[in-house]
Amino acid sequence: MQTDHQSYMPHAEESLPDVLMRIVTELHDVAYLIERIEPQLWNSHDASATDPADKLMVLQGVDLAVQKTRGLAEFIDTITASIPDTCLVDISTAVNLVKLADMKKALGSGLLRHGHSQPLTKAAGDFEAF
């Protein structure tokens, strides 16, 4: 008798280009949602954000987040065109890679975001090519 939890889960294989195009769609949705925040930040009269320079830095960070998200989407879209539909990926494994405990650990992990390109200590708008 097998006790491995994954042995009971069926493997769902999908075409890699289809999966990547769903990711592209999600990234474009994220960019759109981030953009929708910008006018609210610009018009906010929050006492903690009275310094125009701080507000500008936050808005530049929002713009950079949108640009990076769209850039990643375009990159994935471009490379997806060269991947044959016969290339399959086990999406059940890919979905299981992100566990709730891992997300909680990542959210509470100090100042550096491990595995990401920009530490949280950098000022908004600081740029590093990825």
Side-chain angles (χ1 to χ4, degrees):
M1 181 173 169
Q2 292 181 334
T3 58
D4 182 12
H5 177 47
Q6 284 189 339
S7 63
Y8 298 109
M9 295 179 60
H11 294 287
E13 289 186 341
E14 288 190 32
S15 163
L16 181 57
D18 290 344
V19 172
L20 290 174
M21 290 312 295
R22 287 200 322 249
I23 292 171
V24 167
T25 299
E26 291 297 323
L27 286 170
H28 281 297
D29 289 348
V30 167
Y32 172 73
L33 292 171
I34 293 170
E35 276 184 321
R36 289 184 55 195
I37 295 169
E38 193 170 18
Q40 294 171 354
L41 291 173
W42 188 253
N43 295 326
S44 105
H45 299 292
D46 185 10
S48 65
T50 55
D51 183 11
D54 287 343
K55 193 177 232 182
L56 186 59
M57 254 176 43
V58 168
L59 292 171
Q60 287 175 337
V62 168
D63 286 340
L64 182 60
V66 169
Q67 290 172 19
K68 282 188 171 191
T69 304
R70 286 202 173 116
L72 287 169
E74 292 303 317
F75 172 74
I76 293 170
D77 191 16
T78 301
I79 64 168
T80 300
S82 65
I83 300 172
D85 286 336
T86 56
C87 185
L88 300 178
V89 63
D90 180 358
I91 62 165
S92 62
T93 301
V95 171
N96 285 329
L97 292 177
V98 178
K99 306 253 190 265
L100 194 54
D102 294 337
M103 290 179 5
K104 183 178 177 184
K105 181 179 168 185
L107 289 173
S109 67
L111 296 176
L112 289 179
R113 298 179 342 203
H114 301 287
H116 294 12
S117 63
Q118 189 165 352
L120 296 176
T121 55
K122 283 194 158 213
D126 286 356
F127 177 74
E128 283 186 21
F130 58 92

